[in-house]
Amino acid sequence: MNSGMSTSHSSVIVPAALRPEGSPLAQVKHIIAIGSGKGGVGKSTTAVNLAVALQKLGAKVGLMDADIYGPSLPKLMGLHEAPIEAPSGKIAPPVIHGIKCMSMGLLGGDTPIVWRGPMASKAVSQFLSEVEWGELDYLIVDLPPGTGDIQLTLAQSIRLSAAIVVMTPQALATEIARRGLKMFQQVRVPVLGLVENMSEYLCPECGHKSHLFSRGGGDSVAKELDLPILQRFPLDPLLLEDGDAGVPVNISRPESSSAKLFLELAQNMAAELSTLVSGGRNTRPVVVSTEPNEANKMLKVSWNDGRQSVVAYKELRYLCPCAVCVDENTGHRKIRREDVKPDVHPARIQTIGNYALGIHWSDGHSTGLYAFDYLRKILVPEAPSATL
Ligand code: ADP
């Protein structure tokens, strides 16, 4: 687990929203996807128990099953109540353990449906736009396993704030986790970290842990992909029983070690999200596009964590941090917005060491060094080309 992360279980601080105001679901602060390169690694178990842990820590939480091929939310939450129509005409999601839930499995019918990509993403988009989620700190989304077109379309259409990838430590896991990560990068969703599941066996009798696979699988992936391991879960036979009984572990056995591990996961996730919101961990631009975007005249930056952000040239020029533009003693800006030429644009951009961009502006100003951390703060996340 990441060092320096809080392990007190009293509450969780919800970081500022990453989602733009005015977007659909603007009352939902963060939409977090739980994905995996393949099935059977504990993705749904993680999604459900993470949602319950966040709720226990005081957050307002929703849980959406985007795994419309094999919905497992109703079973894992012990939920059999169908959604009803709200007075607004939207769908009122059933609530269990204080969590609003939505899953294809709640809509009835035993016949497995053969979904094709666009149909699947449309159904999931409706879960977002037609369901009355209301005000939420977190909407946890259980994605279908895999990294194919369907998962890609879903990850794109949901407008996720961030994602967590669940993996097991077998030999193939590195490749599979890497594929999962690439998928999120492709749709510009930042990955908060990895969950390593079933790495050891937890004896329910004596609490002894024994290793099932070679050690260090998760560590090597995390190192290679430059991501933290947000939590490791042992194979806990009682967790499997809880799953079968439809009672999340923080409800059935709140004092157990698995319950505490999920509370820690919730806190670690919130901590990583805060880091992301405040500018990222060792983040640096990988692509800086200076192609003027016709309408907006934007500088566009792709970061090494998969995020893309933009800022209008005029605003970037105004926010120049150099001593000519900002009073070093008072911190007050010496230039006024209205004094910045509307057609100002970078004449040349260069990378300075591994910490800043130096911009030579068309108005002749060239003393500004924009540190990567500063850029992360002033650039706004680019809205992905989503269908919602
Ligand atoms: P996925 O969503 O990746 O397909 P699931 O969450 O459905 O995987 O988990 C697959 C099975 O493994 C379920 O029966 C679940 O209860 C069990 N399981 C998941 N994680 C653990 C664990 N740490 N210990 C014991 N059983 C687990």
Side-chain angles (χ1 to χ4, degrees), residues 36 38-46 72 75-76 142 145 197-198 233-237 239-240 243-244:
S36 66
K38 66 179 186 105
V41 298
K43 173 183 56 58
S44 300
T45 304
T46 303
S72 38
K75 180 174 163 265
L76 291 172
D142 184 11
N197 194 21
M198 300 192 256
F233 293 97
L235 198 154
D236 173 1
L239 202 58
L240 198 138
D244 287 345

mmCIF file with all atom_site columns, all heavy atoms in Angstrom, residues 36 38-46 72 75-76 142 145 197-198 233-237 239-240 243-244, ligand 1:
data_model
loop_
_atom_site.group_PDB
_atom_site.id
_atom_site.type_symbol
_atom_site.label_atom_id
_atom_site.label_alt_id
_atom_site.label_comp_id
_atom_site.label_asym_id
_atom_site.label_entity_id
_atom_site.label_seq_id
_atom_site.pdbx_PDB_ins_code
_atom_site.Cartn_x
_atom_site.Cartn_y
_atom_site.Cartn_z
_atom_site.occupancy
_atom_site.B_iso_or_equiv
_atom_site.pdbx_formal_charge
_atom_site.auth_seq_id
_atom_site.auth_comp_id
_atom_site.auth_asym_id
_atom_site.auth_atom_id
_atom_site.pdbx_PDB_model_num
ATOM   1   N N   . SER A 1 36  ? -11.159 -4.385  -15.195 1.00 0.00 ? 36  SER A N   1
ATOM   2   C CA  . SER A 1 36  ? -10.152 -5.447  -15.113 1.00 0.00 ? 36  SER A CA  1
ATOM   3   C C   . SER A 1 36  ? -9.897  -5.944  -16.520 1.00 0.00 ? 36  SER A C   1
ATOM   4   O O   . SER A 1 36  ? -10.763 -5.832  -17.386 1.00 0.00 ? 36  SER A O   1
ATOM   5   C CB  . SER A 1 36  ? -10.640 -6.595  -14.235 1.00 0.00 ? 36  SER A CB  1
ATOM   6   O OG  . SER A 1 36  ? -11.743 -7.213  -14.844 1.00 0.00 ? 36  SER A OG  1
ATOM   7   N N   . LYS A 1 38  ? -9.511  -9.007  -17.332 1.00 0.00 ? 38  LYS A N   1
ATOM   8   C CA  . LYS A 1 38  ? -10.268 -10.244 -17.568 1.00 0.00 ? 38  LYS A CA  1
ATOM   9   C C   . LYS A 1 38  ? -11.231 -10.491 -16.414 1.00 0.00 ? 38  LYS A C   1
ATOM   10  O O   . LYS A 1 38  ? -11.111 -9.846  -15.372 1.00 0.00 ? 38  LYS A O   1
ATOM   11  C CB  . LYS A 1 38  ? -9.320  -11.432 -17.740 1.00 0.00 ? 38  LYS A CB  1
ATOM   12  C CG  . LYS A 1 38  ? -8.544  -11.792 -16.499 1.00 0.00 ? 38  LYS A CG  1
ATOM   13  C CD  . LYS A 1 38  ? -7.658  -12.983 -16.787 1.00 0.00 ? 38  LYS A CD  1
ATOM   14  C CE  . LYS A 1 38  ? -6.975  -13.473 -15.532 1.00 0.00 ? 38  LYS A CE  1
ATOM   15  N NZ  . LYS A 1 38  ? -7.497  -14.682 -14.978 1.00 0.00 ? 38  LYS A NZ  1
ATOM   16  N N   . GLY A 1 39  ? -12.144 -11.433 -16.622 1.00 0.00 ? 39  GLY A N   1
ATOM   17  C CA  . GLY A 1 39  ? -13.159 -11.729 -15.608 1.00 0.00 ? 39  GLY A CA  1
ATOM   18  C C   . GLY A 1 39  ? -12.604 -12.608 -14.491 1.00 0.00 ? 39  GLY A C   1
ATOM   19  O O   . GLY A 1 39  ? -11.534 -13.187 -14.611 1.00 0.00 ? 39  GLY A O   1
ATOM   20  N N   . GLY A 1 40  ? -13.357 -12.668 -13.399 1.00 0.00 ? 40  GLY A N   1
ATOM   21  C CA  . GLY A 1 40  ? -13.028 -13.584 -12.317 1.00 0.00 ? 40  GLY A CA  1
ATOM   22  C C   . GLY A 1 40  ? -11.933 -13.118 -11.377 1.00 0.00 ? 40  GLY A C   1
ATOM   23  O O   . GLY A 1 40  ? -11.473 -13.872 -10.525 1.00 0.00 ? 40  GLY A O   1
ATOM   24  N N   . VAL A 1 41  ? -11.496 -11.861 -11.513 1.00 0.00 ? 41  VAL A N   1
ATOM   25  C CA  . VAL A 1 41  ? -10.399 -11.398 -10.653 1.00 0.00 ? 41  VAL A CA  1
ATOM   26  C C   . VAL A 1 41  ? -10.904 -10.692 -9.383  1.00 0.00 ? 41  VAL A C   1
ATOM   27  O O   . VAL A 1 41  ? -10.106 -10.345 -8.510  1.00 0.00 ? 41  VAL A O   1
ATOM   28  C CB  . VAL A 1 41  ? -9.424  -10.456 -11.410 1.00 0.00 ? 41  VAL A CB  1
ATOM   29  C CG1 . VAL A 1 41  ? -8.762  -11.150 -12.573 1.00 0.00 ? 41  VAL A CG1 1
ATOM   30  C CG2 . VAL A 1 41  ? -10.143 -9.193  -11.887 1.00 0.00 ? 41  VAL A CG2 1
ATOM   31  N N   . GLY A 1 42  ? -12.225 -10.478 -9.304  1.00 0.00 ? 42  GLY A N   1
ATOM   32  C CA  . GLY A 1 42  ? -12.772 -9.818  -8.118  1.00 0.00 ? 42  GLY A CA  1
ATOM   33  C C   . GLY A 1 42  ? -13.167 -8.371  -8.372  1.00 0.00 ? 42  GLY A C   1
ATOM   34  O O   . GLY A 1 42  ? -13.315 -7.583  -7.440  1.00 0.00 ? 42  GLY A O   1
ATOM   35  N N   . LYS A 1 43  ? -13.401 -8.029  -9.626  1.00 0.00 ? 43  LYS A N   1
ATOM   36  C CA  . LYS A 1 43  ? -13.771 -6.652  -9.994  1.00 0.00 ? 43  LYS A CA  1
ATOM   37  C C   . LYS A 1 43  ? -15.105 -6.253  -9.340  1.00 0.00 ? 43  LYS A C   1
ATOM   38  O O   . LYS A 1 43  ? -15.188 -5.210  -8.698  1.00 0.00 ? 43  LYS A O   1
ATOM   39  C CB  . LYS A 1 43  ? -13.842 -6.543  -11.522 1.00 0.00 ? 43  LYS A CB  1
ATOM   40  C CG  . LYS A 1 43  ? -14.364 -5.244  -12.051 1.00 0.00 ? 43  LYS A CG  1
ATOM   41  C CD  . LYS A 1 43  ? -14.449 -5.280  -13.551 1.00 0.00 ? 43  LYS A CD  1
ATOM   42  C CE  . LYS A 1 43  ? -15.292 -6.421  -14.082 1.00 0.00 ? 43  LYS A CE  1
ATOM   43  N NZ  . LYS A 1 43  ? -16.675 -6.433  -13.598 1.00 0.00 ? 43  LYS A NZ  1
ATOM   44  N N   . SER A 1 44  ? -16.132 -7.097  -9.512  1.00 0.00 ? 44  SER A N   1
ATOM   45  C CA  . SER A 1 44  ? -17.451 -6.746  -8.956  1.00 0.00 ? 44  SER A CA  1
ATOM   46  C C   . SER A 1 44  ? -17.415 -6.756  -7.427  1.00 0.00 ? 44  SER A C   1
ATOM   47  O O   . SER A 1 44  ? -18.031 -5.902  -6.781  1.00 0.00 ? 44  SER A O   1
ATOM   48  C CB  . SER A 1 44  ? -18.515 -7.734  -9.441  1.00 0.00 ? 44  SER A CB  1
ATOM   49  O OG  . SER A 1 44  ? -18.584 -7.708  -10.837 1.00 0.00 ? 44  SER A OG  1
ATOM   50  N N   . THR A 1 45  ? -16.695 -7.712  -6.862  1.00 0.00 ? 45  THR A N   1
ATOM   51  C CA  . THR A 1 45  ? -16.554 -7.769  -5.395  1.00 0.00 ? 45  THR A CA  1
ATOM   52  C C   . THR A 1 45  ? -15.928 -6.468  -4.901  1.00 0.00 ? 45  THR A C   1
ATOM   53  O O   . THR A 1 45  ? -16.365 -5.889  -3.902  1.00 0.00 ? 45  THR A O   1
ATOM   54  C CB  . THR A 1 45  ? -15.655 -8.980  -5.011  1.00 0.00 ? 45  THR A CB  1
ATOM   55  O OG1 . THR A 1 45  ? -16.243 -10.149 -5.570  1.00 0.00 ? 45  THR A OG1 1
ATOM   56  C CG2 . THR A 1 45  ? -15.510 -9.124  -3.517  1.00 0.00 ? 45  THR A CG2 1
ATOM   57  N N   . THR A 1 46  ? -14.916 -6.000  -5.624  1.00 0.00 ? 46  THR A N   1
ATOM   58  C CA  . THR A 1 46  ? -14.264 -4.744  -5.245  1.00 0.00 ? 46  THR A CA  1
ATOM   59  C C   . THR A 1 46  ? -15.233 -3.577  -5.378  1.00 0.00 ? 46  THR A C   1
ATOM   60  O O   . THR A 1 46  ? -15.337 -2.742  -4.473  1.00 0.00 ? 46  THR A O   1
ATOM   61  C CB  . THR A 1 46  ? -13.022 -4.497  -6.138  1.00 0.00 ? 46  THR A CB  1
ATOM   62  O OG1 . THR A 1 46  ? -12.160 -5.611  -6.009  1.00 0.00 ? 46  THR A OG1 1
ATOM   63  C CG2 . THR A 1 46  ? -12.283 -3.238  -5.753  1.00 0.00 ? 46  THR A CG2 1
ATOM   64  N N   . SER A 1 72  ? -23.713 -8.663  -11.720 1.00 0.00 ? 72  SER A N   1
ATOM   65  C CA  . SER A 1 72  ? -23.602 -9.377  -10.452 1.00 0.00 ? 72  SER A CA  1
ATOM   66  C C   . SER A 1 72  ? -23.963 -8.504  -9.257  1.00 0.00 ? 72  SER A C   1
ATOM   67  O O   . SER A 1 72  ? -23.985 -8.982  -8.137  1.00 0.00 ? 72  SER A O   1
ATOM   68  C CB  . SER A 1 72  ? -22.200 -9.960  -10.291 1.00 0.00 ? 72  SER A CB  1
ATOM   69  O OG  . SER A 1 72  ? -21.237 -9.092  -10.793 1.00 0.00 ? 72  SER A OG  1
ATOM   70  N N   . LYS A 1 75  ? -26.911 -9.736  -6.978  1.00 0.00 ? 75  LYS A N   1
ATOM   71  C CA  . LYS A 1 75  ? -26.550 -10.893 -6.142  1.00 0.00 ? 75  LYS A CA  1
ATOM   72  C C   . LYS A 1 75  ? -25.613 -10.466 -5.008  1.00 0.00 ? 75  LYS A C   1
ATOM   73  O O   . LYS A 1 75  ? -25.831 -10.800 -3.838  1.00 0.00 ? 75  LYS A O   1
ATOM   74  C CB  . LYS A 1 75  ? -25.884 -11.960 -7.020  1.00 0.00 ? 75  LYS A CB  1
ATOM   75  C CG  . LYS A 1 75  ? -25.464 -13.186 -6.269  1.00 0.00 ? 75  LYS A CG  1
ATOM   76  C CD  . LYS A 1 75  ? -24.943 -14.255 -7.210  1.00 0.00 ? 75  LYS A CD  1
ATOM   77  C CE  . LYS A 1 75  ? -24.146 -15.284 -6.440  1.00 0.00 ? 75  LYS A CE  1
ATOM   78  N NZ  . LYS A 1 75  ? -22.712 -15.036 -6.430  1.00 0.00 ? 75  LYS A NZ  1
ATOM   79  N N   . LEU A 1 76  ? -24.589 -9.700  -5.350  1.00 0.00 ? 76  LEU A N   1
ATOM   80  C CA  . LEU A 1 76  ? -23.591 -9.330  -4.334  1.00 0.00 ? 76  LEU A CA  1
ATOM   81  C C   . LEU A 1 76  ? -24.165 -8.390  -3.271  1.00 0.00 ? 76  LEU A C   1
ATOM   82  O O   . LEU A 1 76  ? -23.716 -8.380  -2.134  1.00 0.00 ? 76  LEU A O   1
ATOM   83  C CB  . LEU A 1 76  ? -22.369 -8.679  -4.994  1.00 0.00 ? 76  LEU A CB  1
ATOM   84  C CG  . LEU A 1 76  ? -21.498 -9.601  -5.850  1.00 0.00 ? 76  LEU A CG  1
ATOM   85  C CD1 . LEU A 1 76  ? -20.437 -8.808  -6.607  1.00 0.00 ? 76  LEU A CD1 1
ATOM   86  C CD2 . LEU A 1 76  ? -20.826 -10.671 -4.994  1.00 0.00 ? 76  LEU A CD2 1
ATOM   87  N N   . ASP A 1 142 ? -19.238 -0.584  -12.105 1.00 0.00 ? 142 ASP A N   1
ATOM   88  C CA  . ASP A 1 142 ? -18.622 -1.884  -12.335 1.00 0.00 ? 142 ASP A CA  1
ATOM   89  C C   . ASP A 1 142 ? -18.632 -2.135  -13.851 1.00 0.00 ? 142 ASP A C   1
ATOM   90  O O   . ASP A 1 142 ? -19.672 -2.419  -14.436 1.00 0.00 ? 142 ASP A O   1
ATOM   91  C CB  . ASP A 1 142 ? -19.454 -2.949  -11.588 1.00 0.00 ? 142 ASP A CB  1
ATOM   92  C CG  . ASP A 1 142 ? -18.845 -4.327  -11.673 1.00 0.00 ? 142 ASP A CG  1
ATOM   93  O OD1 . ASP A 1 142 ? -17.683 -4.450  -12.114 1.00 0.00 ? 142 ASP A OD1 1
ATOM   94  O OD2 . ASP A 1 142 ? -19.543 -5.302  -11.288 1.00 0.00 ? 142 ASP A OD2 1
ATOM   95  N N   . PRO A 1 145 ? -15.777 -7.024  -17.705 1.00 0.00 ? 145 PRO A N   1
ATOM   96  C CA  . PRO A 1 145 ? -14.353 -7.367  -17.763 1.00 0.00 ? 145 PRO A CA  1
ATOM   97  C C   . PRO A 1 145 ? -13.836 -7.299  -19.192 1.00 0.00 ? 145 PRO A C   1
ATOM   98  O O   . PRO A 1 145 ? -14.614 -7.420  -20.141 1.00 0.00 ? 145 PRO A O   1
ATOM   99  C CB  . PRO A 1 145 ? -14.311 -8.804  -17.244 1.00 0.00 ? 145 PRO A CB  1
ATOM   100 C CG  . PRO A 1 145 ? -15.683 -9.339  -17.476 1.00 0.00 ? 145 PRO A CG  1
ATOM   101 C CD  . PRO A 1 145 ? -16.620 -8.168  -17.385 1.00 0.00 ? 145 PRO A CD  1
ATOM   102 N N   . ASN A 1 197 ? -5.748  -8.552  -5.994  1.00 0.00 ? 197 ASN A N   1
ATOM   103 C CA  . ASN A 1 197 ? -6.699  -9.423  -5.285  1.00 0.00 ? 197 ASN A CA  1
ATOM   104 C C   . ASN A 1 197 ? -6.219  -10.869 -5.270  1.00 0.00 ? 197 ASN A C   1
ATOM   105 O O   . ASN A 1 197 ? -5.564  -11.316 -6.203  1.00 0.00 ? 197 ASN A O   1
ATOM   106 C CB  . ASN A 1 197 ? -8.074  -9.337  -5.964  1.00 0.00 ? 197 ASN A CB  1
ATOM   107 C CG  . ASN A 1 197 ? -9.184  -9.934  -5.107  1.00 0.00 ? 197 ASN A CG  1
ATOM   108 O OD1 . ASN A 1 197 ? -9.042  -10.064 -3.884  1.00 0.00 ? 197 ASN A OD1 1
ATOM   109 N ND2 . ASN A 1 197 ? -10.272 -10.307 -5.731  1.00 0.00 ? 197 ASN A ND2 1
ATOM   110 N N   . MET A 1 198 ? -6.550  -11.553 -4.213  1.00 0.00 ? 198 MET A N   1
ATOM   111 C CA  . MET A 1 198 ? -6.301  -12.991 -4.054  1.00 0.00 ? 198 MET A CA  1
ATOM   112 C C   . MET A 1 198 ? -4.815  -13.340 -4.178  1.00 0.00 ? 198 MET A C   1
ATOM   113 O O   . MET A 1 198 ? -4.452  -14.323 -4.796  1.00 0.00 ? 198 MET A O   1
ATOM   114 C CB  . MET A 1 198 ? -7.142  -13.784 -5.056  1.00 0.00 ? 198 MET A CB  1
ATOM   115 C CG  . MET A 1 198 ? -8.631  -13.549 -4.864  1.00 0.00 ? 198 MET A CG  1
ATOM   116 S SD  . MET A 1 198 ? -9.680  -14.683 -5.761  1.00 0.00 ? 198 MET A SD  1
ATOM   117 C CE  . MET A 1 198 ? -10.247 -13.695 -7.109  1.00 0.00 ? 198 MET A CE  1
ATOM   118 N N   . PHE A 1 233 ? -5.793  -7.615  -1.346  1.00 0.00 ? 233 PHE A N   1
ATOM   119 C CA  . PHE A 1 233 ? -6.746  -8.444  -0.612  1.00 0.00 ? 233 PHE A CA  1
ATOM   120 C C   . PHE A 1 233 ? -6.309  -9.900  -0.670  1.00 0.00 ? 233 PHE A C   1
ATOM   121 O O   . PHE A 1 233 ? -6.030  -10.420 -1.757  1.00 0.00 ? 233 PHE A O   1
ATOM   122 C CB  . PHE A 1 233 ? -8.157  -8.342  -1.213  1.00 0.00 ? 233 PHE A CB  1
ATOM   123 C CG  . PHE A 1 233 ? -8.769  -6.987  -1.041  1.00 0.00 ? 233 PHE A CG  1
ATOM   124 C CD1 . PHE A 1 233 ? -8.712  -6.056  -2.066  1.00 0.00 ? 233 PHE A CD1 1
ATOM   125 C CD2 . PHE A 1 233 ? -9.379  -6.641  0.147   1.00 0.00 ? 233 PHE A CD2 1
ATOM   126 C CE1 . PHE A 1 233 ? -9.256  -4.793  -1.908  1.00 0.00 ? 233 PHE A CE1 1
ATOM   127 C CE2 . PHE A 1 233 ? -9.932  -5.378  0.314   1.00 0.00 ? 233 PHE A CE2 1
ATOM   128 C CZ  . PHE A 1 233 ? -9.875  -4.461  -0.716  1.00 0.00 ? 233 PHE A CZ  1
ATOM   129 N N   . PRO A 1 234 ? -6.266  -10.580 0.477   1.00 0.00 ? 234 PRO A N   1
ATOM   130 C CA  . PRO A 1 234 ? -5.994  -12.023 0.432   1.00 0.00 ? 234 PRO A CA  1
ATOM   131 C C   . PRO A 1 234 ? -7.232  -12.769 -0.037  1.00 0.00 ? 234 PRO A C   1
ATOM   132 O O   . PRO A 1 234 ? -8.337  -12.209 -0.031  1.00 0.00 ? 234 PRO A O   1
ATOM   133 C CB  . PRO A 1 234 ? -5.685  -12.359 1.891   1.00 0.00 ? 234 PRO A CB  1
ATOM   134 C CG  . PRO A 1 234 ? -6.385  -11.323 2.678   1.00 0.00 ? 234 PRO A CG  1
ATOM   135 C CD  . PRO A 1 234 ? -6.473  -10.084 1.830   1.00 0.00 ? 234 PRO A CD  1
ATOM   136 N N   . LEU A 1 235 ? -7.058  -14.012 -0.447  1.00 0.00 ? 235 LEU A N   1
ATOM   137 C CA  . LEU A 1 235 ? -8.216  -14.846 -0.740  1.00 0.00 ? 235 LEU A CA  1
ATOM   138 C C   . LEU A 1 235 ? -8.843  -15.196 0.614   1.00 0.00 ? 235 LEU A C   1
ATOM   139 O O   . LEU A 1 235 ? -8.219  -15.857 1.438   1.00 0.00 ? 235 LEU A O   1
ATOM   140 C CB  . LEU A 1 235 ? -7.771  -16.104 -1.481  1.00 0.00 ? 235 LEU A CB  1
ATOM   141 C CG  . LEU A 1 235 ? -8.872  -16.849 -2.218  1.00 0.00 ? 235 LEU A CG  1
ATOM   142 C CD1 . LEU A 1 235 ? -8.280  -17.634 -3.374  1.00 0.00 ? 235 LEU A CD1 1
ATOM   143 C CD2 . LEU A 1 235 ? -9.667  -17.758 -1.321  1.00 0.00 ? 235 LEU A CD2 1
ATOM   144 N N   . ASP A 1 236 ? -10.008 -14.671 0.854   1.00 0.00 ? 236 ASP A N   1
ATOM   145 C CA  . ASP A 1 236 ? -10.679 -14.847 2.141   1.00 0.00 ? 236 ASP A CA  1
ATOM   146 C C   . ASP A 1 236 ? -11.942 -15.658 1.882   1.00 0.00 ? 236 ASP A C   1
ATOM   147 O O   . ASP A 1 236 ? -12.907 -15.148 1.303   1.00 0.00 ? 236 ASP A O   1
ATOM   148 C CB  . ASP A 1 236 ? -11.016 -13.447 2.694   1.00 0.00 ? 236 ASP A CB  1
ATOM   149 C CG  . ASP A 1 236 ? -11.867 -13.491 3.941   1.00 0.00 ? 236 ASP A CG  1
ATOM   150 O OD1 . ASP A 1 236 ? -12.195 -14.596 4.412   1.00 0.00 ? 236 ASP A OD1 1
ATOM   151 O OD2 . ASP A 1 236 ? -12.217 -12.402 4.448   1.00 0.00 ? 236 ASP A OD2 1
ATOM   152 N N   . PRO A 1 237 ? -11.946 -16.946 2.285   1.00 0.00 ? 237 PRO A N   1
ATOM   153 C CA  . PRO A 1 237 ? -13.112 -17.799 1.992   1.00 0.00 ? 237 PRO A CA  1
ATOM   154 C C   . PRO A 1 237 ? -14.422 -17.187 2.481   1.00 0.00 ? 237 PRO A C   1
ATOM   155 O O   . PRO A 1 237 ? -15.474 -17.401 1.884   1.00 0.00 ? 237 PRO A O   1
ATOM   156 C CB  . PRO A 1 237 ? -12.802 -19.098 2.736   1.00 0.00 ? 237 PRO A CB  1
ATOM   157 C CG  . PRO A 1 237 ? -11.320 -19.091 2.914   1.00 0.00 ? 237 PRO A CG  1
ATOM   158 C CD  . PRO A 1 237 ? -10.904 -17.661 3.021   1.00 0.00 ? 237 PRO A CD  1
ATOM   159 N N   . LEU A 1 239 ? -15.191 -14.084 2.407   1.00 0.00 ? 239 LEU A N   1
ATOM   160 C CA  . LEU A 1 239 ? -15.601 -13.061 1.443   1.00 0.00 ? 239 LEU A CA  1
ATOM   161 C C   . LEU A 1 239 ? -16.417 -13.717 0.325   1.00 0.00 ? 239 LEU A C   1
ATOM   162 O O   . LEU A 1 239 ? -17.410 -13.170 -0.156  1.00 0.00 ? 239 LEU A O   1
ATOM   163 C CB  . LEU A 1 239 ? -14.358 -12.381 0.862   1.00 0.00 ? 239 LEU A CB  1
ATOM   164 C CG  . LEU A 1 239 ? -14.513 -10.995 0.258   1.00 0.00 ? 239 LEU A CG  1
ATOM   165 C CD1 . LEU A 1 239 ? -15.076 -10.000 1.262   1.00 0.00 ? 239 LEU A CD1 1
ATOM   166 C CD2 . LEU A 1 239 ? -13.158 -10.492 -0.245  1.00 0.00 ? 239 LEU A CD2 1
ATOM   167 N N   . LEU A 1 240 ? -15.986 -14.899 -0.052  1.00 0.00 ? 240 LEU A N   1
ATOM   168 C CA  . LEU A 1 240 ? -16.713 -15.661 -1.070  1.00 0.00 ? 240 LEU A CA  1
ATOM   169 C C   . LEU A 1 240 ? -18.097 -16.027 -0.541  1.00 0.00 ? 240 LEU A C   1
ATOM   170 O O   . LEU A 1 240 ? -19.108 -15.875 -1.236  1.00 0.00 ? 240 LEU A O   1
ATOM   171 C CB  . LEU A 1 240 ? -15.916 -16.921 -1.410  1.00 0.00 ? 240 LEU A CB  1
ATOM   172 C CG  . LEU A 1 240 ? -16.288 -17.600 -2.708  1.00 0.00 ? 240 LEU A CG  1
ATOM   173 C CD1 . LEU A 1 240 ? -15.022 -18.045 -3.421  1.00 0.00 ? 240 LEU A CD1 1
ATOM   174 C CD2 . LEU A 1 240 ? -17.170 -18.802 -2.478  1.00 0.00 ? 240 LEU A CD2 1
ATOM   175 N N   . GLY A 1 243 ? -20.267 -13.015 -0.610  1.00 0.00 ? 243 GLY A N   1
ATOM   176 C CA  . GLY A 1 243 ? -20.700 -12.754 -1.983  1.00 0.00 ? 243 GLY A CA  1
ATOM   177 C C   . GLY A 1 243 ? -21.882 -13.636 -2.339  1.00 0.00 ? 243 GLY A C   1
ATOM   178 O O   . GLY A 1 243 ? -22.876 -13.174 -2.908  1.00 0.00 ? 243 GLY A O   1
ATOM   179 N N   . ASP A 1 244 ? -21.787 -14.911 -1.977  1.00 0.00 ? 244 ASP A N   1
ATOM   180 C CA  . ASP A 1 244 ? -22.876 -15.845 -2.278  1.00 0.00 ? 244 ASP A CA  1
ATOM   181 C C   . ASP A 1 244 ? -24.140 -15.493 -1.492  1.00 0.00 ? 244 ASP A C   1
ATOM   182 O O   . ASP A 1 244 ? -25.256 -15.645 -1.975  1.00 0.00 ? 244 ASP A O   1
ATOM   183 C CB  . ASP A 1 244 ? -22.448 -17.289 -1.956  1.00 0.00 ? 244 ASP A CB  1
ATOM   184 C CG  . ASP A 1 244 ? -21.456 -17.805 -2.988  1.00 0.00 ? 244 ASP A CG  1
ATOM   185 O OD1 . ASP A 1 244 ? -21.350 -17.152 -4.060  1.00 0.00 ? 244 ASP A OD1 1
ATOM   186 O OD2 . ASP A 1 244 ? -20.782 -18.821 -2.738  1.00 0.00 ? 244 ASP A OD2 1
HETATM 187 P P1  . ADP B 2 .   ? -15.169 -10.380 -11.531 1.00 0.00 ? 1   ADP B P1  1
HETATM 188 O O1  . ADP B 2 .   ? -16.110 -9.250  -11.306 1.00 0.00 ? 1   ADP B O1  1
HETATM 189 O O2  . ADP B 2 .   ? -13.763 -9.933  -11.756 1.00 0.00 ? 1   ADP B O2  1
HETATM 190 O O3  . ADP B 2 .   ? -15.622 -11.353 -12.559 1.00 0.00 ? 1   ADP B O3  1
HETATM 191 P P2  . ADP B 2 .   ? -16.085 -11.307 -8.935  1.00 0.00 ? 1   ADP B P2  1
HETATM 192 O O4  . ADP B 2 .   ? -15.982 -10.113 -8.076  1.00 0.00 ? 1   ADP B O4  1
HETATM 193 O O5  . ADP B 2 .   ? -17.436 -11.701 -9.447  1.00 0.00 ? 1   ADP B O5  1
HETATM 194 O O6  . ADP B 2 .   ? -15.064 -11.205 -10.153 1.00 0.00 ? 1   ADP B O6  1
HETATM 195 O O7  . ADP B 2 .   ? -15.410 -12.502 -8.132  1.00 0.00 ? 1   ADP B O7  1
HETATM 196 C C1  . ADP B 2 .   ? -15.378 -13.812 -8.640  1.00 0.00 ? 1   ADP B C1  1
HETATM 197 C C2  . ADP B 2 .   ? -15.600 -14.766 -7.477  1.00 0.00 ? 1   ADP B C2  1
HETATM 198 O O8  . ADP B 2 .   ? -14.487 -14.682 -6.602  1.00 0.00 ? 1   ADP B O8  1
HETATM 199 C C3  . ADP B 2 .   ? -16.814 -14.448 -6.655  1.00 0.00 ? 1   ADP B C3  1
HETATM 200 O O9  . ADP B 2 .   ? -17.409 -15.659 -6.261  1.00 0.00 ? 1   ADP B O9  1
HETATM 201 C C4  . ADP B 2 .   ? -16.278 -13.704 -5.438  1.00 0.00 ? 1   ADP B C4  1
HETATM 202 O O10 . ADP B 2 .   ? -17.068 -13.895 -4.285  1.00 0.00 ? 1   ADP B O10 1
HETATM 203 C C5  . ADP B 2 .   ? -14.919 -14.361 -5.276  1.00 0.00 ? 1   ADP B C5  1
HETATM 204 N N1  . ADP B 2 .   ? -13.900 -13.469 -4.714  1.00 0.00 ? 1   ADP B N1  1
HETATM 205 C C6  . ADP B 2 .   ? -13.483 -12.272 -5.195  1.00 0.00 ? 1   ADP B C6  1
HETATM 206 N N2  . ADP B 2 .   ? -12.492 -11.782 -4.424  1.00 0.00 ? 1   ADP B N2  1
HETATM 207 C C7  . ADP B 2 .   ? -12.282 -12.680 -3.443  1.00 0.00 ? 1   ADP B C7  1
HETATM 208 C C8  . ADP B 2 .   ? -11.375 -12.765 -2.337  1.00 0.00 ? 1   ADP B C8  1
HETATM 209 N N3  . ADP B 2 .   ? -10.474 -11.812 -2.093  1.00 0.00 ? 1   ADP B N3  1
HETATM 210 N N4  . ADP B 2 .   ? -11.456 -13.857 -1.549  1.00 0.00 ? 1   ADP B N4  1
HETATM 211 C C9  . ADP B 2 .   ? -12.345 -14.832 -1.801  1.00 0.00 ? 1   ADP B C9  1
HETATM 212 N N5  . ADP B 2 .   ? -13.215 -14.817 -2.807  1.00 0.00 ? 1   ADP B N5  1
HETATM 213 C C10 . ADP B 2 .   ? -13.182 -13.763 -3.633  1.00 0.00 ? 1   ADP B C10 1
#
